[in-house]
Amino acid sequence: MVGSPPAVLDTVSPLPAAPRDDSERVAAYFQSIDQIQPGSMGDPEAMAQKVLAGLAKGDTSDFDEMIKQTQLTRHRLSALTPPLPCANFHLNSIACLDAGLDLMRGLKKVMASPELDAQALNLVDRAQAVKARTDALQAQEKALLVRKAALDKE
């Protein structure tokens, strides 16, 4: 059974005061994130078009690969220890990946089903929740990077 979307975590909580050396830890943390994200997937829009074209033909291999890459990213992100100013961002990033994986698995299940039912309709709500979580995460990342830049100028 497809579950309801996880609640969006508090992404606007104030950041704790950070010593100057946290700037370097924050920078290193985001460099680590850049290295573990699946850049090999290329342009997200092009990947989505490729996945949809395959699904229209009954071929789920590209979709399965996207799920696999997202699982790998989640595993690698979970292995990181974030600096204190990034702790909330880190937890929200993992939660966002979990919600995305849940949505992808739900979509695959619905597509394998011969009948459209409430599960399919629930996917729209879940997709909107993932989008809201992603937007909040991007705002939080921007705030962390602005803060890091301010510390660098001191």
Side-chain angles (χ1 to χ4, degrees):
M1 178 174 173
V2 177
S4 62
V8 176
L9 299 177
D10 176 18
T11 59
V12 292
S13 61
L15 299 172
R20 184 173 173 82
D21 65 340
D22 272 355
S23 173
E24 293 171 11
R25 290 186 201 125
V26 168
Y29 173 75
F30 280 107
Q31 285 174 347
S32 296
I33 287 177
D34 288 344
Q35 292 175 4
I36 65 172
Q37 289 181 336
S40 61
M41 290 175 63
D43 175 37
E45 189 172 325
M47 180 64 177
Q49 293 293 333
K50 185 177 177 184
V51 167
L52 289 174
L55 291 174
K57 298 176 192 172
D59 177 9
T60 64
S61 60
D62 289 323
F63 193 67
D64 293 336
E65 181 61 25
M66 189 168 63
I67 291 172
K68 181 180 167 187
Q69 287 297 320
T70 305
Q71 288 171 323
L72 181 61
T73 298
R74 192 229 184 265
H75 175 75
R76 290 177 176 167
L77 183 62
S78 295
L80 289 179
T81 302
L84 184 59
C86 300
N88 191 34
F89 174 83
H90 185 78
L91 292 174
N92 285 326
S93 296
I94 292 170
C96 192
L97 286 170
D98 287 342
L101 282 166
D102 183 55
L103 180 63
M104 286 187 273
R105 290 176 185 133
L107 179 60
K108 187 171 179 181
K109 182 178 178 181
V110 166
M111 294 190 70
S113 175
E115 56 190 63
L116 277 177
D117 58 8
Q119 290 182 10
L121 298 175
N122 186 18
L123 287 175
V124 173
D125 292 336
R126 291 169 55 200
Q128 290 171 341
V130 169
K131 171 80 168 98
R133 178 173 275 171
T134 301
D135 290 346
L137 196 57
Q138 288 173 341
Q140 189 177 23
E141 178 181 9
K142 187 179 283 186
L144 284 166
L145 294 175
V146 165
R147 182 173 172 186
K148 178 206 167 295
L151 288 172
D152 287 345
K153 289 181 182 179
E154 291 179 1

